[in-house]
Amino acid sequence: MTTSHLIDPEGPRAGVRPVAEVQQAHRRLDRKAAGPVRQTQYTRGALTAYLWALGRGQVSPVTGGRSDGAPDLAALTAEADAAQAQLEDFTQRTVPRDYVHGVLDTLAWVCGHSDTRP
């Protein structure tokens, strides 16, 4: 018996999305927001979330939790939940609201909770 049925034909994933798709979304947003004048807190949050989801950041974008490598779906979802909590309760917010919103929108897309890609 082979285990080929266990291998994802689309390759490795970041959340529920193929890594290649998340990389492409990051590159597209990075090009769109190129330069400090055109980059907003929202795009900074989104770009940071993309990098963390791809395993290129050791610290999660909202909670500051440490990780080695790409976070799994549970960690991505927990970070999205933390972002949502910060948006709902301004006393918990430690970073700008637009940054947190960018993180939330990105992680919601990566986790499959939204079809809208930042």
Side-chain angles (χ1 to χ4, degrees), residues 31-46:
R31 280 192 306 271
K32 182 178 176 183
V37 175
R38 292 176 52 193
Q39 201 173 82
T40 65
Q41 285 294 332
Y42 180 89
T43 58
R44 286 183 185 120

Side-chain angles (χ1 to χ4, degrees), residues 29-30 32-33 38-50 61 87 95-109 114 116-118:
L29 184 60
D30 193 38
K32 182 178 176 183
R38 292 176 52 193
Q39 201 173 82
T40 65
Q41 285 294 332
Y42 180 89
T43 58
R44 286 183 185 120
L47 290 168
T48 301
Y50 278 131
L87 288 174
V95 294
R97 180 178 179 77
D98 288 345
Y99 175 91
V100 176
H101 194 218
V103 170
L104 178 59
D105 286 354
T106 300
L107 294 181
W109 178 76
S114 170
T116 305
R117 181 184 60 225

Side-chain angles (χ1 to χ4, degrees), residues 53-67:
L54 290 166
R56 297 184 196 156
Q58 293 181 351
V59 178
S60 59
V62 173
T63 63
R66 290 239 177 248
S67 63

